[in-house]
Amino acid sequence: MVLLIFIFGLAIGSFINAAVFSLRENKSLVFDRSRCPKCGHVLSWYELIPILSFLIQLGRCRACKQKISWQYPIVEFTSGLLFIFIYSNLQPPTSNLQSWYLLLVFSALLFIFVFDLKYYIIPNRVLYPLIVIVLLCNLFAFPLAENLYRLLAAAAAAGFFLTLYLVSGGKWIGFGDVKFGIFMGLFLGWPIVLSALFLSYLLGALIGGFLMFFGGKTLKSQVPFGPFLISGTLTTYFYGQRIIEWYLMLLK
């Protein structure tokens, strides 16, 4: 079962790679064939096998012999590992419908992760539907009181980011982060969203400091914040309650 889930994750990772390219180039995933981004060569099915095609072709296009970006196998492999991680951390009485819901949400988050990392923007065409899906699922899955708490969490997270955005004039964070805060609150709820915000900024500070020290970045260098928000969201969804309990124990 784990192997099948990993292979399924690889396939979703391949789809994410194609979707990132299609969205950036404003192409259709349905009607436009996958092509080499450098020479336009139309890729055959055996050139689209996740990871395996990259290894067989030694990381080069069969037509123009130009190097293929390492993004493709890395995203595919990461997606496979992500699917295994989600499957391994699902606890009873998780239903099959809930499992598919989580795989959909985290696949969309992986797409946003890659897109923001490459192009420094959180795409509305993915984020807006994701917010709607989470909101609708919350309405069917939780009682009214829990939904109110999740709306409170969404308002708190988005309000926090909106304050930073307005105070800095958009220099500290982008407006896409404000909208992502709505998703975080709806998906994680209150007070778990606070843990996600803390982890996101902690990761941002650690990796930002590493890049400044070793990568030649400065305080004025632009670094996408979406990947940190997504990493914080993933970690908090599965371990957020434990993190909060651990923190409260430290305060005693």
Side-chain angles (χ1 to χ4, degrees):
M1 180 59 71
V2 172
L3 178 60
L4 290 175
I5 290 173
F6 179 70
I7 293 174
F8 181 53
L10 292 180
I12 296 299
S14 180
F15 174 80
I16 288 172
N17 278 323
V20 167
F21 178 78
S22 297
L23 182 59
R24 181 62 178 179
E25 300 296 324
N26 198 28
K27 294 182 179 294
S28 171
L29 271 172
V30 177
F31 299 105
D32 291 317
R33 297 281 301 277
S34 296
R35 299 174 179 271
C36 171
K38 296 179 180 177
C39 70
H41 164 65
V42 177
L43 303 181
S44 303
W45 66 268
Y46 50 83
E47 297 174 273
L48 297 171
I49 303 173
I51 296 182
L52 187 59
S53 293
F54 182 87
L55 295 177
I56 292 176
Q57 296 169 198
L58 302 178
R60 295 181 180 274
C61 171
R62 291 179 64 252
C64 66
K65 307 304 180 183
Q66 294 293 312
K67 289 184 178 180
I68 301 172
S69 171
W70 276 91
Q71 168 198 323
Y72 296 97
I74 289 175
V75 171
E76 292 164 355
F77 186 68
T78 301
S79 180
L81 292 182
L82 177 63
F83 274 45
I84 292 177
F85 174 81
I86 294 171
Y87 173 75
S88 301
N89 282 276
L90 292 178
Q91 300 294 329
T94 303
S95 65
N96 289 331
L97 185 61
Q98 184 180 0
S99 300
W100 283 108
Y101 165 69
L102 291 177
L103 291 176
L104 172 64
V105 168
F106 284 109
S107 295
L109 291 181
L110 180 58
F111 176 94
I112 295 174
F113 186 107
V114 175
F115 201 92
D116 193 30
L117 192 64
K118 284 177 66 69
Y119 306 118
Y120 294 76
I121 186 172
I122 295 178
N124 292 331
R125 289 172 62 180
V126 177
L127 182 59
Y128 287 163
L130 185 59
I131 291 174
V132 173
I133 290 172
V134 172
L135 180 60
L136 292 176
C137 288
N138 287 352
L139 292 175
F140 285 102
F142 301 115
L144 177 61
E146 176 63 23
N147 275 294
L148 291 176
Y149 274 115
R150 288 178 180 262
L151 289 174
L152 171 64
F160 172 70
F161 289 135
L162 181 60
T163 301
L164 295 178
Y165 178 82
L166 294 176
V167 169
S168 67
K171 294 181 181 179
W172 296 346
I173 62 171
F175 197 73
D177 300 324
V178 179
K179 292 177 284 189
F180 193 85
I182 299 175
F183 160 78
M184 290 179 69
L186 292 174
F187 184 63
L188 297 173
W190 183 270
I192 304 298
V193 70
L194 300 177
S195 175
L197 293 174
F198 172 77
L199 284 177
S200 299
Y201 274 93
L202 179 62
L203 286 171
L206 291 175
I207 296 179
F210 179 85
L211 292 175
M212 288 175 60
F213 190 80
F214 294 102
K217 297 284 187 179
T218 68
L219 289 174
K220 295 183 178 181
S221 299
Q222 187 178 12
V223 177
F225 193 48
F228 302 123
L229 293 175
I230 292 168
S231 300
T233 299
L234 173 65
T235 305
T236 301
Y237 182 83
F238 290 103
Y239 305 113
Q241 191 61 46
R242 300 181 197 176
I243 294 172
I244 290 179
E245 291 173 357
W246 170 78
Y247 180 72
L248 292 177
M249 288 181 58
L250 293 178
L251 297 179
K252 293 181 180 180

